[in-house]
Amino acid sequence: MNDWLVDLGKNPRARSLVKSLGLPIPLPAQLQREHGTWAPRPLMDRAVALGAAPGAALLTSVAGAVARAGGDPFVEGDASAFRGAGDAYGRPARGLDQAPERLHALVFDASGVTDAAGLRALYDFFHPLIRRIGRSGRLLVLGRPEDPMIAGALTGFVKSAAKEIGGAGATANVILVARGAEALAGGPLEFFLSARSAFVTAQPVEVSLAAAGEPALRAKATNGDGAARALDRKVAIVTGAARGIGAATARLLAAQGARVICVDRPEDVGETSTLARELDGVPLGLDVIAPDAGERLVEAARAEGGADIVVQNAGITRDKTLGRMKEELWDLVLGVNLAAVVKLNAALAERALSDGGRIVCLSSIAGLAGNNGQTNYAASKAGVAGHVRGLAPKLAERGITVNAIAPGFIETRLTAVVPLAVREGGRRLSALGQGGIPEDVAQAIAFLSSPAAQGLTGQVLRVCGGAFIGA
Ligand code: NAI
């Protein structure tokens, strides 16, 4: 990362000078990340503190996920729910009083909370523990989405907690599990507890049965569900794959076993071909706004036996305040970022995407929050967020999930051209105090593309380090 504030912070002289002026030097914690194929035991030998409010219903999912991930469970109160899973994986549950001082993760099942007074359980569990959370640690709350008051309170709680622990590179998130969808909570739990979610913080996700019917189960049975190489034998299409987030995504999907059709503009076919060769994938020089783009993508997918994963990542910015914006800039940005996404999704879903498939589209926090000089970009990216919400129920009966990722400040060509002050603001003004890297976004895309994310559809997941802009 080319970051002059971080460089300044590393220079002892500059550091003491700035300190003597009473100014803080933001030296963000180095985030622990996972690269390439997913580690089978992401929490190996790490201490996980577990607690629950009375009436908790998700402890079996929590116990299974923590044990599978190799974590050492230290349980507050009744540990019976953790015994079976913990013993099966050689990770016997112990009392919280036996936990080491440094804790990697704090996990609290708040699914039993039914009223405002019950929220006190959050305070009781986290108050004595939050300062013991380690570098790149994890704070995770589980709840139910059915009561909007409770779900809202849990979300507000983690958003604030994320800001308190972000300086240590630690994250805080909430998983809301609909009644009946408990068996689908394990995948999201493992993702949020692992280093794969390093730049995802202050986020709620909702796990539901919406897309978990027959076709999904069939697709899963034929494709396997191991964490490592979770995408073996799948075919993925990634648009805008020549560089940045698209290239990182293509690499990660390939590392999980997918055959990747790498799509980018015809003028970028050199980069696209090099990448496709490296990944043993398929290059496709294609402008997503070309009139025959849908037809050509469908053909390319069918030549590989159909597509299982579609990542709509190609995107552009053409910033100008509205009064100064030429109509071509409006048309181009809306055309590439939104109209092409809608059109290509329709063509692929109808003619090439298999049942149990995945669609992941790139939105942006600029779209969710609005940004000066970006009326065209924000309209297109907020449109994408609305598009996935609208499309998800239509494809749910085929077991296809449709989600969006809204990245915050990610270090790519797109953000390298932003003026310095705005760029520094984009990096600093977040709970984690730094920008993300393309692989952070790729990890979230790969997770949403995996069998483990069957319970997530119609969602917009921010990968933004807890950026302060945008609700
Ligand atoms: P990038 O500029 O590095 O890569 C975008 C790719 O899309 C390029 O390879 C480009 O050739 C391709 N592309 C553009 N127009 C195309 C077209 N008409 N047909 C085919 N391919 C086309 O950008 P980056 O940063 O990797 O962004 C990827 C996506 O993530 C975009 O949709 C962007 O809006 C979104 N995003 C990025 C953020 C960031 O901080 N970098 C923040 C929020 C969203």
Side-chain angles (χ1 to χ4, degrees):
M1 193 199 318
N2 172 21
D3 188 327
W4 63 271
L5 271 173
V6 171
D7 290 345
L8 189 71
K10 284 179 185 153
N11 178 327
R13 277 189 152 178
R15 221 181 145 73
S16 64
L17 176 70
V18 178
K19 260 192 174 171
S20 69
L21 294 171
L23 300 172
I25 293 186
L27 195 59
Q30 183 86 34
L31 302 183
Q32 279 169 21
R33 295 181 158 100
E34 198 169 306
H35 305 283
T37 312
W38 297 332
R41 302 268 176 273
L43 293 179
M44 200 62 190
D45 296 331
R46 293 187 141 169
V48 182
L50 300 146
L58 300 167
L59 289 175
T60 313
S61 308
V62 176
V66 170
R68 268 196 308 278
D72 276 335
F74 294 93
V75 184
E76 186 192 59
D78 179 14
S80 53
F82 292 87
R83 287 229 167 80
D87 292 347
Y89 286 85
R91 303 272 146 194
R94 282 171 280 174
L96 196 49
D97 52 341
Q98 294 179 53
E101 179 55 27
R102 269 291 151 233
L103 297 164
H104 178 66
L106 311 179
V107 183
F108 188 73
D109 183 349
S111 59
V113 175
T114 53
D115 57 19
L119 292 167
R120 173 64 193 262
L122 288 174
Y123 174 86
D124 291 341
F125 179 72
F126 287 108
H127 167 70
L129 297 178
I130 193 160
R131 283 183 286 182
R132 290 168 61 184
I133 207 160
R135 284 202 154 229
S136 285
R138 296 287 182 264
L139 184 158
L140 203 52
V141 175
L142 288 102
R144 295 290 198 193
E146 284 87 1
D147 181 339
M149 185 272 280
I150 302 293
L154 299 181
T155 305
F157 174 82
V158 298
K159 285 190 174 186
S160 286
K163 292 185 170 136
E164 291 187 16
I165 62 177
T171 67
N173 293 289
V174 57
I175 304 177
L176 301 167
V177 185
R179 283 178 209 288
E182 292 78 9
L184 298 176
L189 259 157
E190 285 182 46
F191 172 71
F192 280 113
L193 286 173
S194 76
R196 291 187 272 142
S197 58
F199 202 59
V200 185
T201 190
Q203 293 304 293
V205 293
E206 194 170 324
V207 177
S208 78
L209 286 173
E214 239 313 278
L217 295 178
R218 260 188 288 122
K220 201 169 162 181
T222 49
N223 287 309
D225 190 25
R229 306 273 307 176
L231 306 180
D232 260 341
R233 294 190 303 280
K234 305 259 190 192
V235 173
I237 296 171
V238 179
T239 69
R243 55 183 66 78
I245 293 168
T249 301
R251 285 204 172 89
L252 201 54
L253 296 180
Q256 305 305 322
R259 183 159 169 83
V260 185
I261 302 174
C262 304
V263 183
D264 212 298
R265 298 173 313 163
E267 50 268 51
D268 288 307
V269 77
E271 286 96 327
T272 315
S273 298
T274 308
L275 179 70
R277 243 193 327 273
E278 173 195 324
L279 306 179
D280 197 16
V282 182
L284 181 63
L286 175 79
D287 188 328
V288 294
I289 56 174
D292 64 347
E295 189 58 37
R296 290 190 51 207
L297 261 190
V298 167
E299 266 171 34
R302 285 190 167 173
E304 299 302 319
D308 303 288
I309 297 161
V310 178
V311 182
Q312 299 276 14
N313 164 78
I316 54 169
T317 51
R318 293 291 183 274
D319 299 352
K320 276 274 179 248
T321 51
L322 188 56
R324 294 179 192 280
M325 188 184 294
K326 298 216 166 74
E327 60 183 319
E328 305 87 84
L329 297 191
W330 177 273
D331 291 344
L332 187 62
V333 169
L334 269 291
V336 173
N337 294 0
L338 184 58
V341 172
V342 174
K343 197 171 138 192
L344 298 182
N345 280 343
L348 289 164
E350 193 188 322
R351 299 171 51 209
L353 188 61
S354 47
D355 288 356
R358 299 281 184 268
I359 296 177
V360 184
C361 304
L362 272 289
S363 177
S364 164
I365 62 164
L368 308 183
N371 213 4
N372 192 16
Q374 292 201 313
T375 48
N376 51 358
Y377 186 70
S380 70
K381 292 296 183 179
V384 164
H387 168 63
V388 304
R389 290 195 189 102
L391 187 59
K394 293 184 186 139
L395 298 180
E397 63 174 21
R398 289 174 54 198
I400 296 171
T401 66
V402 189
N403 294 290
I405 297 279
F409 188 93
I410 307 296
E411 310 280 351
T412 70
R413 183 181 76 154
L414 202 86
T415 45
V417 298
V418 170
L420 180 70
V422 180
R423 197 158 71 228
E424 277 307 323
R427 286 172 179 151
R428 299 287 150 220
L429 296 176
S430 66
L432 295 175
Q434 59 194 292
I437 59 173
E439 204 174 355
D440 294 332
V441 183
Q443 288 285 6
I445 295 171
F447 163 62
L448 288 175
S449 301
S450 73
Q454 193 64 51
L456 271 53
T457 193
Q459 316 248 330
V460 179
L461 177 65
R462 291 170 53 142
V463 181
C464 66
F468 292 175
I469 58 162

